[in-house]
Amino acid sequence: MRFGINTLDDLEVKGKTVLCRIDINQPVDRSTGKLKDTTRIEACIPTLRELSDKGAKLVLMAHQGSDIEYKNFYTTEPHAEVLSGFLGKKVKFIDDVCGPAAREAIKVLKGGEILLLDNVRFVSEEQTLFETKLCLSHEEQAKTLLVRKLAPLGDLYVCDAFAAAHRDQPSLCGFEQILPSAMGRLFEEEFCVISGIMEKPGRPCVFVLGGAKINDAFLMMSSCLGNSVADKVITGGLVGEVLLWACGKDIGEKARAFITKEGYAPLLETAKELLSKYRDRIAMPVDFAAVQGGKRTEYPLGSIPADALILDIGEKTAKQYQEIIRGARTVFVNGPMGVFEEEATELGTRLVWDALADTPAYTVIGGGDSITATKKYNKTKDINYICTGGGSLIRFLTGEELPVVKALRHGSTIKQQ
Ligand code: ADP
Ligand code: MG
């Protein structure tokens, strides 16, 4: 038991059916349907190997996101193949989540065998829209279709999905109401490492926040600047743009339209509040880059042409950020500085990642695209800890208890028969 949660050491799994939630959500190539990265799949292998070697009948539940969640474009079938490759052992797949076919496949499993169910998001209860609109309690989640159908077939529940620990959904928080539960090895490791750093971070502690999914970043800035876990926050991507807009700076018509279309305009109020309290501890871009005529073109803040869409921080900003990172003793990173996937708009991210690699600070990077950037620049070995979570890492840093942690604590009090 660690942090009031069972570990795999606390369960007797031989011959038992173990329902195991993992996070193997990976970027998918839209045209081919192929997985573009396999970091998260590889990260959960120790847990799966241990459970299988100990003789569990292992049932894996996982989600794969689409650009638009409800469109249900992707199955988890390719993930089963990648899992099999890493494990050196067949992982079965069934194209069903909790219907009769899935239940039958679970019933015939033998000790040591592994079955991956199809994308749990095919069940409406597992969609973010459902989560955010209905806000079900964990007791209510235990009564959803998924849990009602699968829990009776399981003896134990294991969650190894630290990357999804901030989500409040039945596959993550419902089973712990019914089955004796534990966290897997990856969950345990990520939980311990990050709690350890947060307890006494080396100072100054700097957060680098960028990217395009920015609700969590704003949530986290308020708490981490407020409780002084972060001494300074460096901002790029849409985070920096929203902050500058809130300051009354001209980021260009196209950027404002994009931010509005993405639904982030309400964050302007949060941004204003943050700036009124912590202006001197938030670093924002002083220049930007856009693509004009196929080429990178840089503009100082205040002179962005109306027809330019800014897609990266400028070189001057990146150099300022490098100095801050090199002078830090702890750095948490979530989100790239720009559209690093394209050559013309990768410079900001590359320069910041260079500094992350050579700073004496303890560096932690989280988030799918941030991990992809780390690989692209060959910095994996230079970063102290790479966390599979982006959103969950950010929520964890706010100091609030994550929904899955709460559920696992409850599931750890249920005694194994
Ligand atoms: P992570 O996966 O690391 O948590 P996000 O998913 O929040 O990061 O954001 C990553 C994406 O943000 C990348 O695909 C990148 O192209 C995009 N991005 C970064 N900066 C901008 C920008 N200024 N405008 C639009 N997209 C951006
Ligand atoms: Mg991402």
Side-chain angles (χ1 to χ4, degrees):
M1 177 103 50
R2 285 175 107 170
F3 302 100
I5 301 174
N6 284 333
T7 71
L8 294 189
D9 297 325
D10 300 298
L11 300 182
E12 187 50 63
V13 303
K14 191 173 174 23
K16 304 288 186 206
T17 301
V18 178
L19 303 180
C20 180
R21 176 65 157 97
I22 51 179
D23 189 333
I24 48 175
N25 183 33
Q26 299 278 212
V28 178
D29 186 315
R30 255 189 268 178
S31 52
T32 62
K34 287 222 169 87
L35 301 179
K36 289 203 277 187
D37 185 26
T38 54
T39 306
R40 282 184 176 160
I41 304 186
E42 195 171 1
C44 69
I45 293 299
T47 296
L48 308 189
R49 183 167 286 137
E50 179 173 344
L51 288 168
S52 169
D53 286 353
K54 284 179 170 171
K57 302 171 188 173
L58 191 52
V59 182
L60 306 178
M61 293 180 281
H63 75 282
Q64 173 60 56
S66 292
D67 302 0
I68 300 173
E69 207 184 31
Y70 59 82
K71 290 206 168 165
N72 291 332
F73 282 138
Y74 302 119
T75 157
T76 51
E77 189 165 9
H79 306 64
E81 216 170 286
V82 180
L83 280 167
S84 302
F86 281 127
L87 277 165
K89 178 174 196 167
K90 174 82 185 158
V91 173
K92 299 180 183 180
F93 171 78
I94 181 100
D95 62 339
D96 187 18
V97 183
C98 61
R103 300 203 300 275
E104 195 49 41
I106 294 171
K107 282 184 203 153
V108 300
L109 276 181
K110 299 193 186 71
E113 288 186 342
I114 307 174
L115 169 72
L116 174 64
L117 303 175
D118 213 337
N119 192 345
V120 289
R121 291 242 172 110
F122 293 170
V123 177
S124 59
E125 301 159 336
E126 288 290 313
Q127 304 227 347
T128 310
L129 266 175
F130 189 96
E131 174 187 344
T132 49
K133 288 281 178 228
L134 298 184
C135 303
L136 296 189
S137 67
H138 292 176
E139 290 82 1
E140 288 168 321
Q141 288 179 35
K143 294 183 184 122
T144 55
L145 183 79
L146 181 80
V147 183
R148 281 205 319 273
K149 292 292 179 188
L150 296 186
L153 303 178
D155 300 297
L156 302 165
Y157 174 81
V158 169
C159 184
D160 208 23
F162 185 81
H166 58 305
R167 298 188 182 273
D168 214 335
Q169 297 170 338
S171 69
L172 290 152
C173 302
F175 290 95
E176 292 97 322
Q177 294 297 312
I178 298 166
L179 297 175
S181 309
M183 56 185 165
R185 295 300 182 199
L186 174 64
F187 199 113
E188 182 184 346
E189 180 188 294
E190 301 203 300
F191 195 135
C192 287
V193 169
I194 294 156
S195 312
I197 306 164
M198 265 182 78
E199 220 164 83
K200 220 172 176 290
R203 302 285 180 183
C205 176
V206 172
F207 286 15
V208 180
L209 300 176
K213 284 188 282 170
I214 60 172
N215 280 317
D216 286 338
F218 277 86
L219 180 92
M220 183 254 240
M221 268 191 277
S222 316
S223 50
C224 291
L225 287 165
N227 66 17
S228 286
V229 170
D231 297 301
K232 190 152 199 115
V233 176
I234 290 176
T235 62
L238 296 186
V239 183
E241 293 173 27
V242 169
L243 283 163
L244 286 168
W245 186 1
C247 288
K249 305 283 186 201
D250 184 12
I251 54 169
E253 184 48 44
K254 284 200 162 174
R256 285 193 294 271
F258 183 73
I259 289 165
T260 309
K261 180 176 112 334
E262 294 293 301
Y264 293 133
L267 289 178
L268 287 168
E269 282 311 307
T270 320
K272 278 182 195 153
E273 215 171 288
L274 276 170
L275 289 162
S276 72
K277 286 190 194 154
Y278 311 112
R279 177 67 193 85
D280 54 330
R281 289 161 64 198
I282 302 176
M284 290 175 281
V286 293
D287 62 346
F288 285 100
V291 183
Q292 298 287 64
K295 274 180 52 193
R296 179 183 181 94
T297 317
E298 298 214 350
Y299 303 100
L301 185 64
S303 55
I304 299 163
D307 63 340
L309 172 61
I310 51 181
L311 294 171
D312 192 15
I313 58 171
E315 190 168 353
K316 186 168 174 202
T317 305
K319 295 225 157 114
Q320 288 180 359
Y321 288 0
Q322 286 188 322
E323 288 306 304
I324 301 173
I325 291 167
R326 289 182 175 130
R329 289 299 168 267
T330 311
V331 186
F332 285 101
V333 186
N334 180 229
M337 296 293 101
V339 180
F340 71 96
E341 296 92 337
E342 304 298 330
E343 203 187 325
T345 49
E346 64 139 11
L347 184 70
T349 305
R350 181 153 53 79
L351 291 178
V352 164
W353 258 243
D354 282 347
L356 291 171
D358 62 28
T359 172
Y362 189 92
T363 45
V364 181
I365 288 184
D369 294 289
S370 304
I371 294 175
T372 307
T374 309
K375 286 189 167 173
K376 177 172 177 181
Y377 302 126
N378 279 323
K379 304 293 187 204
T380 309
K381 285 204 194 76
D382 305 308
I383 303 301
N384 293 90
Y385 195 71
I386 294 185
C387 178
T388 57
S392 64
L393 170 68
I394 297 264
R395 299 277 186 98
F396 197 98
L397 294 174
T398 65
E400 259 177 60
E401 188 178 47
L402 299 173
V404 178
V405 169
K406 181 177 175 219
L408 281 170
R409 286 197 172 121
H410 184 273
S412 298
T413 64
I414 304 174
K415 292 275 171 290
Q416 189 176 357
Q417 298 294 322

